[in-house]
């Protein structure tokens, strides 16, 4: 239902798709409810939000902020200056835009804007995608008015009386996949009679997952499976060359899959990293999943995300260091157990939150009103 009031909302954060896509989903849900509103995004200069947000139809301003490196580098010496400049620019943006509320979706880009908003008494809402809160969100926790989370047990990081279990906002086109199977097989050039293993390593790619596919792909084809494989842009040439030399007809390597709804619709089994957005999407898709968490993330949060599913018998976990040798066994084991696959799919679907973006909008409304 549309409402006529006009509000000014600022949304800040980014650095990765896991922060940007939920931010855009929240903006869409707010604009659907309040089409007269103005929405301004604030990101980090040079990061992917500066491209993805305008593509989604919104205005974005960049701050010179940069993250702190975990080791001693020259970049860290410039950190205080960039932070100071970012806080000053955030003050100017807030003075000009006069927001009714500010939403932070994590990533260091959101730090300066939410800090300034909190100093000025403007309501701030934090959306934390992961099961382990990011550093920026933890630093901003004291003065934030609401925390919208996707995992239980977040009172370790945030005040319990301000936590709302909304789930992560995801794209709407993955909510009804049942009718898309035939279209999906045709779109990707897949055979109707063969089971499909969908392999996802994120938009940039994941070397371990790609190496695991290379080690397993001949066996998969012999078993009668077909593989739909997103290699990521850094690996597409190398992986395509290996595929050509192996001469396999039923392994399809793509740099990036735009039509994720069709990829999910085609899949019988999914192999994926365990970023917060991937876990949230796969919960709505309701297909059996093997999670291979990235070990190269803060506080090993992908393993924690995956374990939250494994504990509910809703996914299978394969560690990064065992993936190359262990993928074949995990895939064969599941494919030989149709009842187990169905159970995993049903259990992960129970964890899905299809209305997350709308729930977050309700919390934001309550803060403003």
């Amino acid at each position: 239902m549309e409402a006529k009031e006009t509000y000014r909302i600022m949304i800040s954060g980014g650095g990765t798709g896991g922060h940007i896509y939920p931010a855009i989903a929240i903006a869409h849900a707010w604009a659907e409810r309040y089409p007269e509103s103005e929405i301004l995004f604030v990101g980090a200069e040079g990061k992917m939000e500066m491209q993805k947000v305008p593509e989604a139809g919104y205005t974005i301003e960049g701050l010179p902020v940069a993250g702190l490196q975990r080791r001693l580098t020259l970049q860290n010496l410039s950190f205080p200056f960039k932070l100071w400049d970012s806080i000053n620019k955030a003050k100017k943006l807030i003075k000009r835009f006069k927001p009714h509320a500010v939403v932070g979706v994590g990533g260091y880009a959101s730090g300066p804007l939410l800090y300034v908003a909190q100093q000025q008494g403007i309501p701030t809402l934090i959306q934390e995608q992961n099961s382990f809160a990011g550093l920026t969100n933890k630093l901003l926790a004291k003065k934030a008015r609401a925390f919208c989370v996707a995992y239980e047990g977040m009172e370790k990081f945030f005040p319990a009386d301000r936590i709302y279990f909304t789930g992560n906002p995801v794209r709407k086109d993955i909510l009804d996949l049942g009718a898309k199977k035939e279209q999906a097989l045709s779109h990707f050039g897949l055979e109707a009679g063969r089971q499909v293993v969908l392999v996802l390593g994120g938009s940039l790619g994941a070397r371990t997952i790609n190496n695991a596919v290379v080690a397993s792909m001949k066996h998969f084809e012999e078993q009668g499976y077909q593989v739909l494989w997103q290699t990521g842009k850094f690996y597409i040439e190398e992986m395509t060359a290996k595929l050509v030399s192996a001469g396999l007809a039923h392994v399809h390597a793509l740099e990036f899959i735009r039509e994720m709804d069709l990829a999910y619709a085609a899949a019988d089994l999914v192999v994926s990293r365990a970023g917060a957005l991937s876990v949230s999407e796969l919960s709505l898709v309701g297909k059996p999943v093997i999670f291979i968490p990235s070990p190269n993330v803060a506080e090993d949060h992908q393993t924690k995300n995956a374990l939250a599913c494994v504990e509910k018998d809703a996914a299978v976990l394969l560690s990064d260091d065992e993936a190359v040798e262990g993928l074949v066994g995990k895939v064969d084991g599941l494919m030989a157990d149709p009842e187990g696959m169905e159970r995993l799919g049903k259990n992960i679907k129970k964890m899905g939150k299809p209305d997350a973006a709308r729930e977050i909008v309700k919390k934001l409304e309550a803060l403003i009103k």
Side-chain angles (χ1 to χ4, degrees):
M1 190 184 76
E2 287 185 7
K4 280 286 180 235
E5 291 94 329
T6 170
Y7 293 110
R8 291 177 302 281
I9 305 295
M10 293 177 94
I11 302 177
S12 187
T16 66
H19 294 308
I20 297 160
Y21 296 122
I24 290 169
I26 293 167
H28 284 340
W30 186 270
E32 202 175 83
R33 176 101 174 92
Y34 295 105
E36 312 284 318
S37 290
E38 289 178 66
I39 297 172
L40 178 65
F41 279 77
V42 177
E45 288 171 0
K47 291 295 181 181
M48 67 187 284
E49 57 265 28
M50 302 309 291
Q51 178 196 343
K52 298 292 181 191
V53 168
E55 281 175 5
Y58 298 98
T59 304
I60 186 165
E61 294 275 357
L63 301 179
V65 66
L68 261 177
Q69 302 301 307
R70 287 170 175 262
R71 58 193 189 284
L72 199 61
T73 67
L74 285 172
Q75 274 176 288
N76 282 348
L77 295 176
S78 66
F79 175 79
F81 304 103
K82 287 182 173 176
L83 184 61
W84 179 252
D85 287 347
S86 297
I87 287 172
N88 284 330
K89 186 168 181 185
K91 283 178 182 171
K92 287 174 188 162
L93 288 173
I94 283 177
K95 187 177 180 184
R96 189 187 82 208
F97 193 72
K98 298 185 175 64
H100 290 87
V102 177
V103 178
V105 295
Y108 54 79
S110 64
L113 188 78
L114 266 78
Y115 170 77
V116 172
Q118 289 177 350
Q119 296 301 107
Q120 297 186 12
I122 297 162
T124 58
L125 178 149
I126 285 175
Q127 199 263 321
E128 173 57 65
Q129 298 93 31
N130 288 293
S131 57
F132 196 97
L135 178 62
T136 304
N137 285 350
K138 285 192 280 190
L139 291 173
L140 294 163
K142 195 174 176 188
K143 290 191 174 176
R145 306 263 184 100
F147 303 89
C148 293
V149 303
Y151 290 92
E152 290 158 6
M154 298 303 286
E155 57 280 353
K156 293 194 291 284
F157 310 107
F158 307 131
D161 59 338
R162 285 178 262 157
I163 293 175
Y164 302 96
F165 185 59
T166 58
N168 283 327
V170 296
R171 55 192 123 196
K172 283 181 176 175
D173 60 3
I174 63 169
L175 293 180
D176 183 25
L177 299 177
K180 295 182 180 178
K181 176 95 176 185
E182 205 173 306
Q183 180 195 351
L185 295 176
S186 164
H187 177 82
F188 293 112
L190 301 169
E191 273 185 27
R194 285 176 171 261
Q195 287 178 299
V196 178
V197 180
L198 171 63
V199 181
L200 304 168
S203 55
L204 301 178
R207 176 163 287 285
T208 304
I209 290 181
N210 287 336
N211 288 343
V213 175
V214 169
S216 314
M217 61 190 180
K218 190 164 183 265
H219 172 86
F220 288 162
E221 185 147 322
E222 286 166 358
Q223 291 294 102
Y225 317 144
Q226 52 196 336
V227 181
L228 184 58
W229 174 21
Q230 179 177 279
T231 66
K233 70 174 185 179
F234 292 146
Y235 303 104
I236 184 64
E237 287 180 20
E238 180 190 345
M239 297 303 147
T240 303
K242 288 182 175 177
L243 197 49
V244 169
S245 68
L248 301 174
H250 298 287
V251 179
H252 306 264
L254 300 169
E255 177 184 325
F256 183 70
I257 300 173
R258 294 199 187 286
E259 307 79 6
M260 279 309 302
D261 57 326
L262 296 182
Y264 288 138
D268 294 288
L269 173 63
V270 184
V271 177
S272 173
R273 283 298 197 206
L277 198 61
S278 298
V279 176
S280 295
E281 283 194 357
L282 289 162
S283 300
L284 297 177
V285 167
K287 299 272 174 98
V289 186
I290 298 168
F291 283 122
I292 304 176
S294 169
N296 311 312
V297 292
E299 312 291 351
D300 197 22
H301 68 248
Q302 285 204 8
T303 298
K304 296 179 175 79
N305 293 347
L307 283 171
C309 298
V310 173
E311 283 159 8
K312 294 194 160 123
D313 191 24
V316 169
L317 178 65
L318 177 59
S319 69
D320 191 83
D321 58 357
E322 293 174 342
V324 174
E325 289 176 1
L327 185 61
V328 161
K330 293 286 188 195
V331 171
D332 283 352
L334 282 172
M335 289 296 205
D337 180 14
E339 286 177 9
M341 296 222 316
E342 191 179 345
R343 188 182 69 249
L344 289 175
K346 279 182 177 168
N347 287 345
I348 200 168
K349 193 144 198 175
K350 287 177 194 164
M351 299 175 71
K353 294 272 184 184
D355 292 321
R358 284 199 201 105
E359 291 299 315
I360 292 165
V361 162
K362 283 183 196 167
K363 300 301 169 207
L364 200 53
E365 279 177 333
L367 293 189
I368 294 171
K369 292 176 178 179

